Amino acid sequence: MLQPLVLNCLVSVPELSSVVFAVPLRLYWVMDCVQTGVCELDNRKVKMRILMLIQRTHRIRRGITSCFLPPLVRLFHSSSSTMAKSKFEYVRNFETDDTCLRNCYIVVRLDGRNFHKFAEKHKFTKPNDNRALGLMTRSAHSVMEELEDIIIAYGQSDEFSFVFKRTSNWFKRRASKLMTHVASQFSSSYVFYWKEFFGEEPLLYPPGFDGRVVLYPSNRNLRDYLSWRQADCHVNNLYNTVFWTLVQKGGLTTAQAEDRLKGTLAADKNEILFSEFDINYNNESALHRKGTTLIWEKQDETVTKRVKLPNEEEKEVHVTRSRKRVRALHCDIIGEQFWEDHPDILEDDN
């Protein structure tokens, strides 16, 4: 913004008829203008300031190169930050440094806000609505495609966890930036892909997701975290499966079903399902029992290209190339088998 103003002023000053001094003065003037704020003065004072610069230049004509080069360097390296300064900039000092510790996996976990109400309003199927679970997975898929430093994601019910690799430097590892970007991308995707899973059933109001950031320094810590979330999936799904079976097939009210399940262990719940309803919990969908794990997987894809030969004929050629794609799995991630099958997910602790 300053250069056009300054150049116009220089052209209108008759004392700057010498090309030798006009060019360096023009550059020096921009820097001087930034430092002194003289651009806010009227035209007469501007001309006086220029004349003072001319006199200063004449006194140091032998050292003109060394005089103008440092201001020129500073101009092109720091003028933007200098011009952006104002008396209000001190408020930046109130910002908290939330840079995540290096050499740690960064986990961003999202949870649906008040999703019990959201599920009731939108009439989700109990105990599991495959449309809702599919929409959650599709939204998480969108997040991973946007942020390729996410090495694995795990979700169940109304939550999803995203793991950034230890060496990630996205958003300079600022926790607030990572969390808000993941949350906003996930939320907008949930709304964007709603019709893909729910068809003409309307979205009655926008969903909300809260987030948190947790750091895990070792592979063992990270695996234990993911194991905790999958164990939570098993506990919650087993309870919900028995609860809604008692209501939907057993004829109990929700209060009676809750009272029936008080103090029961996993074995007791499995016995209720098998003995009273002939349901083997182990035969239930792996999606519901294990949750959803998203990983990157290399896949070969073949495309057809038309190639022009030297004799000007065209020929179709099949080209195979490998690309990374996000793949959804419904499997156990607590045991060793998953990690042995996918050794590239975790970085070496050493």
Side-chain angles (χ1 to χ4, degrees):
M1 296 296 293
L2 288 175
Q3 273 185 295
L5 169 65
V6 174
L7 291 176
N8 288 338
C9 292
L10 286 171
V11 171
S12 66
V13 178
E15 287 81 358
L16 292 181
S17 57
S18 171
V19 177
V20 176
F21 294 106
V23 175
L25 274 174
R26 193 174 295 139
L27 297 173
Y28 194 97
W29 168 251
V30 175
M31 189 61 196
D32 196 78
C33 181
V34 170
Q35 291 177 338
T36 63
V38 72
C39 58
E40 298 178 359
L41 301 177
D42 59 35
N43 193 50
R44 181 179 59 82
K45 292 184 178 180
V46 167
K47 290 182 179 181
M48 289 177 61
R49 182 63 178 163
I50 294 173
L51 293 176
M52 290 173 61
L53 288 172
I54 293 172
Q55 294 173 355
R56 184 192 307 175
T57 304
H58 277 287
R59 288 197 301 269
I60 55 173
R61 55 181 68 166
R62 288 187 178 181
I64 189 168
T65 303
S66 60
C67 174
F68 293 123
L69 187 57
L72 181 59
V73 173
R74 290 198 302 273
L75 169 65
F76 285 101
H77 283 78
S78 62
S79 62
S80 59
S81 60
T82 305
M83 286 188 285
K85 289 184 179 298
S86 71
K87 66 178 181 180
F88 307 110
E89 193 174 0
Y90 77 94
V91 298
R92 294 183 61 185
N93 297 325
F94 289 90
E95 294 182 15
T96 303
D97 181 15
D98 61 349
T99 304
C100 294
L101 188 67
R102 294 198 172 275
N103 299 322
C104 291
Y105 292 105
I106 303 173
V107 176
V108 179
R109 186 166 95 236
L110 302 183
D111 288 280
R113 181 180 178 275
N114 201 4
F115 250 56
H116 289 292
K117 175 186 173 184
F118 186 85
E120 289 177 4
K121 289 287 185 181
H122 293 88
K123 300 177 182 178
F124 284 6
T125 304
K126 302 292 186 179
N128 293 291
D129 192 310
N130 288 337
R131 299 169 303 169
L133 293 174
L135 180 54
M136 290 286 291
T137 300
R138 182 64 187 88
S139 302
H141 189 288
S142 175
V143 173
M144 285 190 69
E145 287 181 328
E146 181 71 17
L147 300 171
E148 294 184 2
D149 272 7
I150 296 173
I151 53 175
I152 187 172
Y154 176 78
Q156 49 109 354
S157 185
D158 65 340
E159 73 168 59
F160 240 101
S161 298
F162 300 90
V163 182
F164 287 81
K165 63 183 182 182
R166 279 198 287 218
T167 55
S168 176
N169 201 36
W170 276 87
F171 304 112
K172 298 182 180 178
R173 296 179 70 86
R174 291 185 60 184
S176 56
K177 291 278 189 179
L178 291 166
M179 182 177 64
T180 53
H181 190 94
V182 170
S184 62
Q185 182 72 27
F186 191 94
S187 301
S188 59
S189 298
Y190 194 95
V191 174
F192 185 82
Y193 294 110
W194 174 268
K195 283 190 175 182
E196 186 176 314
F197 293 87
F198 286 87
E200 295 305 314
E201 187 170 329
L203 181 63
L204 301 179
Y205 62 90
F209 295 89
D210 64 69
R212 72 199 71 187
V213 175
V214 187
L215 305 181
Y216 294 101
S218 70
N219 290 340
R220 183 74 265 166
N221 295 149
L222 178 63
R223 284 188 55 181
D224 285 347
Y225 168 79
L226 293 171
S227 298
W228 170 49
R229 299 323 304 147
Q230 189 166 66
D232 186 73
C233 172
H234 164 71
V235 171
N236 290 337
N237 188 68
L238 177 58
Y239 180 91
N240 289 333
T241 300
V242 180
F243 179 89
W244 287 107
T245 300
L246 289 171
V247 172
Q248 295 168 352
K249 297 183 178 180
L252 301 184
T253 65
T254 54
Q256 290 171 333
E258 184 178 356
D259 190 61
R260 172 80 187 276
L261 293 177
K262 279 183 180 178
T264 57
L265 303 176
D268 302 322
K269 295 180 179 69
N270 277 295
E271 182 62 27
I272 292 173
L273 287 174
F274 189 75
S275 62
E276 297 185 25
F277 303 99
D278 196 27
I279 296 175
N280 185 339
Y281 180 74
N282 291 328
N283 294 334
E284 293 295 294
S285 170
L287 165 64
H288 304 154
R289 293 183 295 110
K290 302 294 185 180
T292 300
T293 303
L294 298 181
I295 61 171
W296 290 101
E297 192 172 77
K298 287 185 178 180
Q299 296 179 356
D300 291 334
E301 61 177 26
T302 302
V303 296
T304 303
K305 288 186 175 182
R306 296 187 68 85
V307 179
K308 200 168 186 179
L309 300 176
N311 59 4
E312 296 188 356
E313 292 182 5
E314 286 191 351
K315 181 182 178 180
E316 288 189 349
V317 178
H318 298 291
V319 179
T320 301
R321 53 192 178 189
S322 181
R323 286 190 173 182
K324 286 202 314 178
R325 303 287 187 187
V326 178
R327 183 185 175 192
L329 303 173
H330 312 294
C331 62
D332 176 72
I333 59 174
I334 297 176
E336 297 295 329
Q337 190 62 51
F338 172 81
W339 302 102
E340 291 174 1
D341 293 342
H342 304 92
D344 55 321
I345 295 177
L346 300 178
E347 301 172 57
D348 191 348
D349 272 339
N350 297 323

